[in-house]
Amino acid sequence: MGDGASFRKQITSIFRHRMGTEMKNSEYDDLLEKSNIVGAIHRKREEKEIIEILMKEPAGENGVPPVVAITGIAGIGKTTLALLVCEDDNVKGRFGWPIWLNAAGKTFDDLASIAGPVKAAATSSGNPSLLVLDDLRAEISKSKVSELRKHGVSVGAGAIIVTTRRTWQSFDDKAMHVFPLKGLDEEQSWSLFTSLGSSNKHKEEIKEILHNCLGVPPLATKLVSKFRESRAGTLEKDKLSEWLQFCLQPLAVQLVAYLSLFPDDYLIHADRLIHLWIAEGFVPPEESWRRVIDDFVASGIFQDVKREEGGDGVVKSCRVHPYVQELARFVAKKKKDEFISTGVEEEPLLRASFDMRLVDSVSKLELFLKEEKRAKGLRTILFHGMVESPLVLGNQQAERMNEYTCDKVLSTCKALCVLDLQHLGMNMVPSSIGKLKDLTYLDLSHNNFEKLPNSITKLSQLKTLKLSRCHLLKELPKDLKDLTKLTHLHIDGCVNIQSMPRGINNLTSLQTLSNFVVGKNEPMASEELRNLNELRGHLEIMYPERLKFQGSSSEWMNKKEHLRRLTFRLDQHDKGNEQDQEKALQALKPHTNLTELHVVGYKGNNFPSWIPSLHCLVKLSLYNCSTSEPLPGLDELRSLEVLELRRMHSLRFVAEKYDESVHPFFPSLKKLTLWDCPKLESWWRIDNNTTDGESKKSIIFSCISSLQIQYCPNLTRMPLYPTLDKMLELVESSVEPVWDTIRYGESKTAKEAEVVPFSNLKCMFIASIQKSPPEQWLVNFTSLEKLHIRDCLQLEALPLGFKHLSSLQSLTIETCPVLDLDRSPDEWKDLENLNSLIIREIPKLKSLPMGLEKVKSLREIRLHDCAGLTSLPEKIENITSLVRLEICQCENLASLPKGIEKLKSLDTLIIRDCPLLMPRCQPDTGNDWPKIAHVKNIVVKQTSQRLWAGKLRM
């Protein structure tokens, strides 16, 4: 039954209920019965305000029904609050039974098809209707709200309630009311927990769990309650199933259960998890799988999240929260190292996982395989290897799955659909793999084999083949074209593959092709790419200059409208092919939907003229390119957020001239990296503002957040960046653009816009700057939290503005040979948030900087390789918050001050390679031992020649 028919059936059910012809089985009744609206006891304020809104004239002053939007993440209590409002006696008296619709996956147009019968029902009852759209996931704009009201009126709605995960705005609409819900605090969580009738048997343990769940939805509290009760043996299996069906959508039950296949504290790569979910046949919700990952992060299921830089900052890797991991095993009814049954199907799929990082993993696997009754019906098996280890090439990676054991797995588990063998150091793939006729997903990534058995092409059902980072793999099977259902082929990092097998153009279902290697003397290689128009995600074309183009034959690249990221990696070692490179890139014009473009090793002098036409481009990266000519029309890329120019050794100018018709200037750029561009002089070749200094200074990056300039010593003119708020990194580069930006703050334009340059900057790294900064240059850096100064050979003193860094938390100063840190005792007193100070290779340092004892917040001091350091001041006793003191390679420091014994908060003292000081700090016998005996952790150590075994109490 289609969505529209299903939607009408829901409405008909509610209509009959309101007319008294159907007393049970409506969605609203089911929700009330299952929820008992317990979760709303902590939403009294929102409940009262919503009821007050609904009890006004339902149609509003101008005949416009009010819209109440209840927003928040999954499980936060949106639906429960809406139910409680609907059950209020006053609301019932005005509206009667609500028109309650499950709106997940539905559009506003669906309302039009059921407008007639519902409107008739509303008219016959004599009451205006209360329309509730539960779990609406459609994007909302001002026009959509108007459309919502229009359809609401057509069904007789006098007021509308929407629950949604989306963030809504009021659009200056007086009849529009948004209620964002937040998670519960500790007191509310405990109140809800006890209201659920849970036992107090493990009260302290449960309170600790709830403390770890702060800020997450009431769903988490309910989860803990039922989970703990079940562990106590008081919750029956069928009740758990019923509760899970209510609190989590069926899909979420499957996905949470699936997490039990991963070991505790295991680093999960989001791409891998998504690919596995897809391979398992889980049907995605209306949002993308990326949205599911984000929801899991928002609800606290995932922690230790790492995100990709730039663009949308999508989740790269994460770990499962320990409590959720335990819960996942509970939901999946899985014991460690045993096969499990996950999902809610009548005939559940059997899945198993083995942690191959453990010493006894192979023996456990062999025992499992001997029980053929359990193994032969297995549909999924995952082997977890050393995914967190550093990148290991070739046979240096330890083999954890030999050919014999692997063959035993393949011959025993004949019903496998999903097989994950990544990170096992395998040197050979058994030919018996071709017998797995039901296999749809095969991951052999990060292994050491040089070739694959051709029998792999007999896997007629295979949809996903992953070979990422198989560094020794030399070629793909020649009959790869026989895998007609292949949808995803991952070969990124397979650096030894020299060409693609013939016939790959027949794989028209391919959506993922991470790399395409154009072999030498293969004039027909472009034909292999021509028909692959379903490609999406990322495609890297290696050696595109080897492609042969005739007439309009290059238009096929423009037809790949689903591609979002494209990399051209050209041959840097083939001399004399500059014209071929220019011709190839000009011919390979991508679709304008592209969001990322990377060009590596380009030796042509002119970049493709089509670059400015990529209006959706978010990231542009040029690496190791030889052009000396300005780049074409970058300021026309209105969506560009990240621009990286790395190792552009011949580039002198980024742009030809400033185009005043393109305004504002780079309106979306957030991150700019200029790295190793030694000849770069100016942003523009033609400075059309030479005679108008004020105009020149008005050209700014309006929303830039992070700027990295390294090894660009001649870059003296570029757009200004007063709004920089995240990071400024300046290494072996000119400081003039920084000074120009600071001076810009004094201009009329900046004052009108109330721009104070660098006033929001959080982090700064300055290294190898030859020219000393002006005295007052740090005055406005009032938000700076982290400052690192290194290799500034002419820096004699900290600038006067240093004392204004009231937000500074971390300061590192190293390798500044003429720096004197004792210019004034007052320059440290206002650093009220400084908690970490690292001083390294400052030869003029004789003691701690004068006035440092006034910094009451300081928790850590590290002194390294300071040859002039001869003593520490007695006033160190005033740094009462000091927790860690580290002194290394300070050869002339002869003793510790007596005041150190008053530092009761000092927890760790480390003294390394200090020949005069170490004998005095030996337990019991050293002269300075009484001063430091109270310190819990002490390390006294000579790392180069002699070794004093100190005291280590951990």
Side-chain angles (χ1 to χ4, degrees):
M1 183 179 293
D3 286 345
S6 176
F7 206 54
R8 287 191 292 274
K9 183 178 179 181
Q10 294 174 26
I11 293 298
T12 303
S13 174
I14 295 172
F15 163 65
R16 288 174 180 168
H17 181 89
R18 293 181 66 207
M19 297 299 291
T21 59
E22 181 177 279
M23 301 302 296
K24 280 189 140 329
N25 298 323
S26 76
E27 184 171 348
Y28 184 65
D29 281 342
D30 289 344
L31 282 173
L32 282 176
E33 183 180 348
K34 291 179 180 178
S35 69
N36 295 320
I37 55 177
V38 172
I41 60 175
H42 303 292
R43 307 291 187 187
K44 291 296 183 182
R45 179 183 62 81
E46 292 89 345
E47 176 194 349
K48 180 180 178 182
E49 291 181 15
I50 293 173
I51 292 173
E52 288 178 353
I53 292 168
L54 297 179
M55 293 310 294
K56 294 178 181 178
E57 284 297 321
E61 296 179 359
N62 301 314
V64 177
V67 176
V68 174
I70 304 173
T71 68
I73 63 175
I76 202 72
K78 303 182 294 294
T79 298
T80 309
L81 177 57
L83 285 168
L84 189 57
V85 169
C86 291
E87 284 296 293
D88 179 77
D89 290 338
N90 293 326
V91 174
K92 281 184 177 181
R94 180 173 290 278
F95 296 101
W97 289 97
I99 302 175
W100 187 286
L101 304 179
N102 181 351
K106 306 300 187 297
T107 67
F108 297 142
D109 292 333
D110 292 315
L111 289 172
S113 63
I114 48 87
V118 177
K119 185 175 182 180
T123 303
S124 64
S125 67
N127 291 326
S129 304
L130 176 58
L131 174 62
V132 182
L133 301 180
D134 188 32
D135 199 16
L136 182 67
R137 303 187 183 183
E139 292 288 351
I140 298 300
S141 61
K142 189 172 183 179
S143 62
K144 289 293 186 183
V145 172
S146 299
E147 185 179 349
L148 171 62
R149 285 203 177 100
K150 175 183 175 182
H151 289 310
V153 171
S154 70
V155 299
I160 302 170
I161 295 178
V162 175
T163 72
T164 179
R165 301 180 193 180
R166 301 286 188 185
T167 301
W168 273 35
Q169 300 174 352
S170 62
F171 309 113
D172 298 323
D173 187 337
K174 293 183 179 179
M176 176 79 184
H177 310 272
V178 181
F179 291 85
L181 300 188
K182 298 181 179 179
L184 308 180
D185 59 29
E186 190 168 1
E187 181 180 350
Q188 291 172 326
S189 293
W190 178 248
S191 176
L192 174 57
F193 187 85
T194 55
S195 73
L196 292 169
S198 300
S199 169
N200 288 332
K201 184 177 179 180
H202 305 287
K203 182 176 179 179
E204 295 305 318
E205 178 189 9
I206 292 167
K207 278 195 169 183
E208 180 183 352
I209 295 171
L210 294 178
H211 177 75
N212 284 282
C213 292
L214 294 186
V216 300
L219 172 59
T221 302
K222 295 178 182 180
L223 206 58
V224 171
S225 170
K226 296 300 182 182
F227 179 39
R228 289 298 170 184
E229 287 298 305
S230 68
R231 292 184 73 195
T234 60
L235 186 66
E236 297 176 6
K237 178 180 177 181
D238 57 343
K239 288 185 179 179
L240 173 66
S241 176
E242 178 184 346
W243 180 83
L244 286 172
Q245 288 289 339
F246 164 64
C247 284
L248 294 172
Q249 299 175 5
L251 174 65
V253 177
Q254 291 177 318
L255 301 187
V256 169
Y258 200 81
L259 297 178
S260 67
L261 288 167
F262 293 89
D264 293 342
D265 202 35
Y266 189 80
L267 186 70
I268 300 176
H269 289 279
D271 282 342
R272 179 192 184 194
L273 183 58
I274 290 172
H275 295 156
L276 285 169
W277 280 343
I278 294 172
E280 295 286 357
F282 296 147
V283 179
E286 288 69 28
E287 297 97 340
S288 67
W289 282 114
R290 283 290 174 187
R291 168 72 73 164
V292 175
I293 295 289
D294 288 339
D295 285 348
F296 274 31
V297 171
S299 60
I301 292 175
F302 289 149
Q303 61 180 15
D304 297 338
V305 176
K306 298 290 187 290
R307 296 182 180 274
E308 299 280 3
E309 292 186 3
D312 296 330
V314 298
V315 175
K316 183 179 180 180
S317 64
C318 55
R319 303 179 199 275
V320 180
H321 191 287
Y323 290 122
V324 176
Q325 185 68 273
E326 190 176 357
L327 170 72
R329 283 194 288 270
F330 171 70
V331 173
K333 306 162 189 68
K334 172 185 183 294
K335 295 181 180 178
K336 288 185 178 181
D337 305 316
E338 292 187 6
F339 76 99
I340 67 166
S341 169
T342 65
V344 293
E345 308 89 344
E346 292 182 1
E347 296 181 1
L349 303 180
L350 297 181
R351 304 177 175 93
S353 66
F354 292 88
D355 189 350
M356 301 304 286
R357 301 171 301 174
L358 304 178
V359 175
D360 59 348
S361 57
V362 175
S363 60
K364 287 184 176 181
L365 174 60
E366 291 175 347
L367 287 174
F368 172 79
L369 294 175
K370 288 180 179 180
E371 300 183 35
E372 294 190 8
K373 288 184 178 180
R374 291 204 301 173
K376 69 178 182 179
L378 203 64
R379 304 294 300 278
T380 294
I381 187 166
L382 310 182
F383 294 95
H384 301 296
M386 303 295 289
V387 298
E388 296 178 78
S389 62
L391 181 63
V392 183
L393 298 178
N395 56 15
Q396 295 177 357
Q397 183 180 359
E399 185 178 41
R400 295 176 178 271
M401 174 75 75
N402 58 39
E403 185 179 7
Y404 170 80
T405 305
C406 186
D407 184 66
K408 183 66 174 176
V409 171
L410 302 179
S411 58
T412 304
C413 308
K414 297 179 180 179
L416 283 176
C417 295
V418 175
L419 177 60
D420 191 325
L421 292 161
Q422 64 164 291
H423 280 281
L424 299 179
M426 295 170 58
N427 295 317
M428 186 72 70
V429 178
S431 59
S432 56
I433 198 167
K435 297 179 180 180
L436 300 179
K437 301 302 181 183
D438 296 325
L439 198 65
T440 62
Y441 178 98
L442 176 60
D443 192 346
L444 295 167
S445 301
H446 296 270
N447 282 300
N448 297 331
F449 44 79
E450 296 184 5
K451 64 178 182 178
L452 291 168
N454 207 51
S455 62
I456 206 170
T457 61
K458 296 179 180 179
L459 302 174
S460 58
Q461 302 301 313
L462 195 65
K463 294 182 179 179
T464 299
L465 177 58
K466 302 183 72 173
L467 303 167
S468 301
R469 303 296 187 273
C470 291
H471 300 289
L472 301 182
L473 183 63
K474 296 181 178 179
E475 61 182 7
L476 295 173
K478 63 179 181 178
D479 293 327
L480 191 71
K481 63 182 184 297
D482 293 343
L483 298 177
T484 55
K485 291 188 178 182
L486 196 63
T487 308
H488 305 284
L489 176 59
H490 300 261
I491 55 171
D492 48 295
C494 296
V495 294
N496 273 312
I497 292 180
Q498 299 300 312
S499 64
M500 307 301 290
R502 293 287 179 88
I504 199 172
N505 59 313
N506 294 325
L507 303 179
T508 54
S509 296
L510 267 184
Q511 296 180 12
T512 301
L513 178 60
S514 55
N515 286 58
F516 186 92
V517 185
V518 182
K520 289 185 177 180
N521 303 316
E522 290 191 4
M524 299 303 294
S526 59
E527 298 300 315
E528 299 290 348
L529 271 173
R530 174 186 292 274
N531 297 328
L532 303 182
N533 291 331
E534 293 301 314
L535 292 180
R536 55 201 67 210
H538 183 209
L539 169 65
E540 177 174 324
I541 301 179
M542 297 187 65
Y543 315 129
E545 67 271 27
R546 297 175 182 174
L547 295 171
K548 305 300 180 184
F549 302 101
Q550 296 179 354
S552 61
S553 63
S554 63
E555 293 181 358
W556 48 262
M557 195 66 194
N558 190 255
K559 295 179 180 179
K560 303 185 189 316
E561 60 181 310
H562 304 296
L563 273 182
R564 293 297 177 264
R565 299 168 56 204
L566 180 61
T567 297
F568 294 118
R569 190 175 299 273
L570 300 110
D571 192 342
Q572 304 175 47
H573 306 293
D574 186 5
K575 297 181 179 180
N577 66 346
E578 290 83 358
Q579 291 185 351
D580 290 339
Q581 290 191 0
E582 285 194 17
K583 181 179 178 181
L585 259 60
Q586 184 62 40
L588 292 171
K589 179 182 179 180
H591 195 278
T592 55
N593 287 342
L594 200 71
T595 59
E596 288 192 24
L597 176 63
H598 304 259
V599 181
V600 181
Y602 180 65
K603 294 190 296 183
N605 212 30
N606 295 289
F607 273 87
S609 60
W610 46 255
I611 289 182
S613 69
L614 301 178
H615 301 305
C616 297
L617 204 65
V618 172
K619 182 175 182 178
L620 174 61
S621 176
L622 308 179
Y623 179 80
N624 204 12
C625 300
S626 302
T627 181
S628 60
E629 293 298 313
L631 308 176
L634 298 188
D635 51 1
E636 296 179 34
L637 301 174
R638 317 302 289 164
S639 301
L640 194 67
E641 296 182 9
V642 180
L643 175 60
E644 298 178 344
L645 305 179
R646 299 176 183 267
R647 295 195 67 184
M648 306 285 285
H649 288 166
S650 300
L651 187 68
R652 296 178 59 198
F653 310 100
V654 177
E656 183 67 23
K657 64 179 181 179
Y658 173 56
D659 187 352
E660 296 182 0
S661 66
V662 180
H663 187 78
F665 185 75
F666 283 95
S668 302
L669 192 65
K670 296 178 181 178
K671 182 177 181 180
L672 173 63
T673 298
L674 304 172
W675 186 79
D676 197 9
C677 303
K679 294 184 179 181
L680 187 61
E681 302 173 14
S682 171
W683 195 270
W684 306 276
R685 186 206 297 269
I686 301 174
D687 189 349
N688 49 358
N689 292 304
T690 302
T691 60
D692 186 354
E694 189 66 31
S695 176
K696 174 178 179 291
K697 291 181 180 180
S698 67
I699 304 173
I700 67 172
F701 292 120
S702 59
C703 68
I704 193 167
S705 180
S706 179
L707 175 63
Q708 180 187 53
I709 305 178
Q710 291 198 23
Y711 317 116
C712 301
N714 295 310
L715 178 60
T716 57
R717 292 178 296 168
M718 65 177 293
L720 309 180
Y721 34 89
T723 63
L724 203 67
D725 60 4
K726 186 177 180 181
M727 162 66 85
L728 171 61
E729 191 168 320
L730 197 65
V731 178
E732 288 192 29
S733 300
S734 171
V735 297
E736 290 190 30
V738 178
W739 312 155
D740 287 341
T741 302
I742 293 175
R743 295 185 197 106
Y744 167 77
E746 303 171 358
S747 70
K748 178 181 178 181
T749 304
K751 290 178 180 178
E752 290 175 345
E754 298 182 350
V755 175
V756 180
F758 303 119
S759 60
N760 294 315
L761 186 65
K762 296 296 190 297
C763 184
M764 182 164 62
F765 175 46
I766 302 291
S768 302
I769 302 301
Q770 302 303 318
K771 185 177 179 180
S772 295
E775 285 293 301
Q776 298 291 334
W777 76 292
L778 287 177
V779 170
N780 293 326
F781 288 59
T782 53
S783 298
L784 198 67
E785 297 176 355
K786 186 175 182 179
L787 174 61
H788 190 163
I789 301 173
R790 190 191 73 198
D791 296 326
C792 292
L793 305 184
Q794 298 181 21
L795 183 64
E796 297 180 357
L798 294 174
L800 290 175
F802 177 75
K803 62 183 179 182
H804 295 281
L805 303 182
S806 57
S807 299
L808 195 65
Q809 299 175 15
S810 173
L811 174 63
T812 300
I813 305 175
E814 56 181 325
T815 323
C816 298
V818 296
L819 177 63
D820 183 0
L821 293 175
D822 280 332
R823 185 173 65 176
S824 168
D826 295 329
E827 59 187 355
W828 297 88
K829 67 177 183 179
D830 293 324
L831 304 186
E832 54 190 25
N833 289 299
L834 185 66
N835 57 57
S836 175
L837 174 63
I838 301 175
I839 300 177
R840 181 180 283 110
E841 291 189 70
I842 306 296
K844 284 197 170 186
L845 185 73
K846 297 180 181 179
S847 183
L848 287 182
M850 185 170 49
L852 186 66
E853 70 278 358
K854 299 177 182 179
V855 183
K856 304 300 183 183
S857 58
L858 202 57
R859 294 175 55 83
E860 175 186 52
I861 298 177
R862 300 188 185 193
L863 306 172
H864 287 246
D865 198 8
C866 295
L869 185 67
T870 57
S871 67
L872 296 180
E874 289 295 336
K875 290 183 178 180
I876 196 174
E877 67 184 36
N878 294 327
I879 310 179
T880 55
S881 58
L882 195 65
V883 174
R884 181 185 179 96
L885 176 61
E886 187 173 313
I887 307 172
C888 300
Q889 293 180 283
C890 296
E891 299 177 354
N892 295 307
L893 182 61
S895 65
L896 294 176
K898 184 174 179 58
I900 203 170
E901 65 185 18
K902 296 183 179 181
L903 296 178
K904 302 305 180 183
S905 62
L906 190 63
D907 177 82
T908 300
L909 175 64
I910 297 176
I911 300 173
R912 285 197 180 101
D913 302 327
C914 300
L916 300 181
L917 184 60
M918 289 188 297
R920 298 179 61 89
C921 296
Q922 296 304 307
D924 302 323
T925 60
N927 292 340
D928 286 341
W929 180 254
K931 306 173 186 177
I932 61 175
H934 66 286
V935 180
K936 180 181 179 181
N937 305 310
I938 298 178
V939 175
V940 180
K941 189 174 183 181
Q942 179 75 24
T943 60
S944 54
Q945 297 177 357
R946 298 181 61 191
L947 179 65
W948 279 266
K951 180 189 73 166
L952 178 59
R953 296 182 300 194
M954 302 297 287

